[in-house]
Amino acid sequence: MLPGPRGAAQWERFIFARKDAPGLTHYLGFGDVNGDGRPDAATGAKGGPHATPGTGDYFAWWEAPADPTQVREKHLVAKDQSGATNIHPADVNGDGKVDFIVSRGHGRGIVWFESPNWQEHIIHATMKEPHCLVVIDFDGDGDIDAATATNSRRGSRTTDKEISRHISSAETRSRTIFELLISTWMATWIF
């Protein structure tokens, strides 16, 4: 067993993705995706003009091996995801399986992918540049909640009515939805 962060004389570096995470990958999500008790990692790769041509525009997760010092195995969740940034594992529909909630922070949209075949469900198709994403039980009611923020100066302002329509069409349990404007940034509780 490896020592914890406070007990280690220095931190050791372990590579979890060896040359199979191209395309300007962004934020990491962690959770036990496959039920083996180990922390799997997930990320989105935004692609675009600054990426090596033909790379990016995907969401994927990497399966944690029994030996955490070894490289992880990549599993593609979805391709053709322009502007992919955030991905978090969570049981969105309450069926006991780990799904993924994702944002296209360098593009448009918030979606979730249903396990086990990663069927895409649109939460909000047109939200522009929802760059950050937090998935946690904010209100303590026992189910997951999700929030994102987008820069309203770029024409991305979204109304409660518009978000509610997209949430109900995503076939999720009913959720309370509200917006909170913070300066020029719009934070939106999407579940």
Side-chain angles (χ1 to χ4, degrees), residues 136-154:
I136 192 169
D137 182 5
F138 286 111
D139 55 5
D141 66 356
D143 66 3
I144 60 108
D145 303 300
T148 189
T150 183
N151 189 337
S152 62
R153 290 178 296 189
R154 296 184 183 171

Side-chain angles (χ1 to χ4, degrees), residues 66-110:
D67 177 354
T69 65
Q70 298 301 305
V71 175
R72 296 165 180 245
E73 179 183 350
K74 181 181 180 178
H75 301 272
L76 186 66
V77 174
K79 59 183 181 175
D80 301 323
Q81 299 290 315
S82 181
T85 51
N86 273 288
I87 178 170
H88 291 285
D91 182 4
V92 175
N93 58 358
D95 67 356
K97 298 174 187 168
V98 176
D99 309 301
F100 285 109
I101 300 176
V102 307
S103 69
R104 299 180 190 119
H106 286 268
R108 289 184 184 269
I110 304 280

